[in-house]
């Protein structure tokens, strides 16, 4: 089993910055993908950014150039630095870890942390 504990988030004015972190513990494979997703009530959860253990990153178009994902493989921790925040970035942000064993992919989610950007 894998546990994900998020921290960070909060309330910020438009144009401001926030950072999130997510620490994974438990049965974690050496090869995995960690990332951030977000969800607004009534909408589907959407990808924000992901980072593989191999160093590949992926960003949603809406956050490119403003958000930066990073990770510390030794600590099984992923970070999200969010700059130039906009009101439309307001959402609950969830950490996710994906790892594969044989033919099966396992997904784990954090509890979510609220990010609110005021205009």
């Amino acid at each position: 089993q894998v546990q994900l504990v998020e921290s960070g988030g909060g309330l910020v004015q438009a144009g401001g910055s926030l950072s999130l972190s997510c620490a994974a513990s438990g049965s974690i494979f050496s090869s995995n993908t960690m990332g951030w997703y977000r969800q607004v009530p009534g909408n589907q959860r959407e990808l924000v950014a992901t980072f593989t253990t191999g160093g590949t990153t992926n960003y949603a178009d809406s956050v490119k150039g403003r958000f930066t994902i990073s990770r510390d493989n030794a600590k099984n921790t992923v970070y999200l630095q969010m700059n130039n925040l906009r009101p439309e970035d307001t959402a609950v942000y969830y950490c996710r870890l994906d790892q594969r064993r044989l033919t099966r992919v396992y997904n784990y989610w954090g509890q979510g942390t609220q990010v609110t950007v005021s205009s």
Side-chain angles (χ1 to χ4, degrees), residues 16-115:
S17 299
L18 285 173
S19 61
L20 306 178
S21 64
C22 172
S25 62
S27 181
I28 300 168
F29 304 158
S30 58
S31 176
N32 60 67
T33 298
M34 294 187 74
W36 294 94
Y37 292 71
R38 66 188 181 187
Q39 187 171 24
V40 175
N43 290 2
Q44 287 191 339
R45 197 168 294 185
E46 63 178 14
L47 179 146
V48 175
T50 60
F51 202 146
T52 70
T53 46
T56 300
T57 58
N58 182 41
Y59 292 91
D61 288 342
S62 60
V63 306
K64 284 180 180 177
R66 301 187 298 121
F67 291 12
T68 302
I69 190 170
S70 59
R71 66 181 291 168
D72 184 334
N73 290 335
K75 296 181 179 180
N76 292 317
T77 299
V78 65
Y79 307 92
L80 186 69
Q81 178 64 40
M82 304 181 290
N83 298 327
N84 192 19
L85 282 160
R86 304 167 181 169
E88 54 264 38
D89 294 318
T90 296
V92 177
Y93 284 69
Y94 295 91
C95 176
R96 171 170 154 167
L97 183 147
D98 301 331
Q99 55 188 17
R100 180 187 300 273
R101 169 169 283 172
L102 298 178
T103 60
R104 183 171 177 179
V105 178
Y106 296 84
N107 311 125
Y108 303 92
W109 292 93
Q111 78 281 4
T113 184
Q114 178 71 45
V115 171

